[in-house]
Amino acid sequence: MIKEFKDFAVKGNVIDLAVGVIIGGAFGKIVTSLVNDIIMPPIGLLLGKVNFTNLFINLSGTPYGTLAEAKEAGAPTINYGLFINNVLDFSIVAFSIFLVIRQLNRFRRRQQEKSIKAEPQTKECPYCLSDIPIKAVRCKHCTSQLEISVQINKSH
């Protein structure tokens, strides 16, 4: 059982996943800072100096100036400003990941196209000089049986 666990834990996919989670956590902190410290202040200024983190609905009936004061007093609140910040965080993370995945897919497509172009798809029949598929053992034009040595020589 210990050997099985060791094999599982050391597999490349598990390690890749762990690295992805760690990088994702760090990336999440960067995005949260971007939203809270760079994006939200100008938006709040444009909307009349509104601080989204202090947007809340107080359910206790006692007035509080900030969300921190309401939380300190233990008042029940609906924190829709924090929800707006989290939606913006998610949107930015999702869009960033979309852009990265899009570029990776574009790079993979180019690599696949290069590998497809690099491999010959046809060879020449030594008898009738027609192009035939690389794996053909008989010419579709003249029906000649192709020798194995011809296939090896033509494919290199």
Side-chain angles (χ1 to χ4, degrees):
M1 187 168 139
I2 293 173
K3 183 183 180 307
E4 280 183 65
F5 178 73
K6 190 176 179 183
D7 290 343
F8 168 77
V10 178
K11 277 187 177 178
N13 293 343
V14 174
I15 293 171
D16 291 344
L17 178 62
V19 169
V21 168
I22 291 167
I23 290 175
F27 186 69
K29 289 179 182 179
I30 291 170
V31 170
T32 300
S33 176
L34 174 70
V35 170
N36 291 338
D37 302 329
I38 295 174
I39 294 175
M40 294 309 287
I43 291 174
L45 184 65
L46 291 172
L47 296 175
K49 296 186 181 183
V50 175
N51 183 353
F52 282 91
T53 57
N54 282 324
L55 296 178
F56 66 99
I57 297 172
N58 182 2
L59 301 176
S60 71
T62 307
Y64 296 101
T66 65
L67 179 60
E69 291 174 4
K71 281 187 174 185
E72 189 176 307
T77 58
I78 297 176
N79 307 322
Y80 67 93
L82 293 175
F83 178 74
I84 291 170
N85 276 350
N86 287 330
V87 168
L88 286 172
D89 280 353
F90 171 79
S91 300
I92 291 170
V93 169
F95 186 70
S96 300
I97 291 173
F98 165 74
L99 292 176
V100 169
I101 298 298
R102 185 173 177 227
Q103 285 302 110
L104 285 174
N105 288 339
R106 186 178 293 166
F107 177 72
R108 284 185 186 148
R109 272 193 304 268
R110 286 183 189 157
Q111 291 300 102
Q112 288 173 348
E113 289 171 1
K114 285 180 184 178
S115 67
I116 289 171
K117 290 177 184 176
E119 297 176 15
Q121 300 296 312
T122 61
K123 61 183 176 183
E124 190 176 82
C125 173
Y127 303 104
C128 69
L129 305 177
S130 299
D131 282 341
I132 54 175
I134 194 82
K135 293 182 179 180
V137 292
R138 185 176 292 273
C139 178
K140 67 180 179 180
H141 301 286
C142 69
T143 69
S144 297
Q145 184 75 29
L146 303 174
E147 296 177 20
I148 295 174
S149 62
V150 172
Q151 288 179 335
I152 293 171
N153 291 337
K154 290 290 183 178
S155 66
H156 291 293

